[in-house]
Amino acid sequence: MNSKAKLLTLATTTLVFSSLSVGIVLAQAKLTNQSKLFINGVGQVRVGMSVSQATNASGTKFVGESPNNNCYYVKPKAEPKQVGFMVTEGRISRVDVWKNSKITTLKGAKIGDSEARIKSLYPGQIQVTPHKYVQGGHYLTFIPKDRIDQNYRLVFETDGKRVTQFRSGKLPEVEYVEGCS
């Protein structure tokens, strides 16, 4: 093989590899039931993004209430189900994960986990307070130690034994018990 042929083969291989890499990156960016919840977002969607930015970052179309209120919710049009995004002042401020969702946190916490498991996943960082509406239930609030994350929380709601739903986001919105109500 002469040097021109080697160069052409190398260029073609690089182009194909680059195309595959871009495809893999785009596939990983899509919001799915396997996306992980962070203290400041889920998958590629982060607190502070506009809905348009979240759509571009996640490859997911969002639908929901009209943005004429200062606080409203949007949800992915398709997958993942049972996940909502609170939008305040035009920006995503929190992510809610509701019953039957398959979404987990980075540490693997999920709906159905025991209170003991949540406390063991986040040792020394869970604040327990009584649930406002569920008798015997609790809010298990993860309070980060890192200074950079001090304005974020992860809140697990329980029936007193097991996680029934959870959310993450920025203060004060993540602590709103009734969402936008």
Side-chain angles (χ1 to χ4, degrees):
M1 189 181 291
N2 65 31
S3 59
K4 280 186 180 178
K6 285 180 185 177
L7 189 56
L8 182 58
T9 301
L10 178 62
T12 303
T13 303
T14 302
L15 181 60
V16 169
F17 180 72
S18 295
S19 296
L20 287 173
S21 297
V22 169
I24 290 167
V25 168
L26 291 175
Q28 290 173 342
K30 188 151 179 71
L31 195 59
T32 70
N33 283 320
Q34 287 74 44
S35 297
K36 300 297 179 197
L37 184 80
F38 300 89
I39 197 166
N40 65 344
V42 63
Q44 300 297 322
V45 178
R46 294 290 178 263
V47 168
M49 288 182 167
S50 68
V51 175
S52 176
Q53 289 169 327
T55 297
N56 291 337
S58 68
T60 302
K61 181 174 170 92
F62 294 92
V63 297
E65 303 169 22
S66 77
N68 58 359
N69 293 332
N70 190 36
C71 182
Y72 63 97
Y73 273 87
V74 295
K75 295 192 243 183
K77 185 174 182 179
E79 191 179 299
K81 301 288 185 195
Q82 302 301 328
V83 175
F85 297 84
M86 179 187 280
V87 180
T88 55
E89 299 179 13
R91 302 277 172 188
I92 292 173
S93 54
R94 110 181 190 186
V95 181
D96 289 75
V97 179
W98 298 305
K99 190 175 181 179
N100 298 325
S101 177
K102 293 178 170 63
I103 299 285
T104 67
T105 67
L106 265 179
K107 292 201 175 210
K110 63 188 179 305
I111 292 174
D113 280 350
S114 68
E115 288 190 359
R117 180 160 194 270
I118 299 303
K119 291 173 187 174
S120 74
L121 289 173
Y122 304 96
Q125 291 182 272
I126 296 291
Q127 175 184 22
V128 181
T129 54
H131 198 290
K132 185 173 179 180
Y133 295 111
V134 178
Q135 188 171 358
H138 299 109
Y139 299 107
L140 306 180
T141 304
F142 167 74
I143 301 173
K145 291 179 181 175
D146 293 337
R147 190 165 199 223
I148 194 166
D149 294 328
Q150 68 186 8
N151 291 323
Y152 297 97
R153 297 289 184 272
L154 180 55
V155 179
F156 299 91
E157 293 192 31
T158 78
D159 59 9
K161 295 179 180 160
R162 302 221 167 261
V163 174
T164 57
Q165 61 186 28
F166 56 101
R167 61 186 176 266
S168 70
K170 70 181 189 78
L171 294 171
E173 292 91 333
V174 72
E175 293 183 333
Y176 293 171
V177 173
E178 298 167 349
C180 288
S181 298

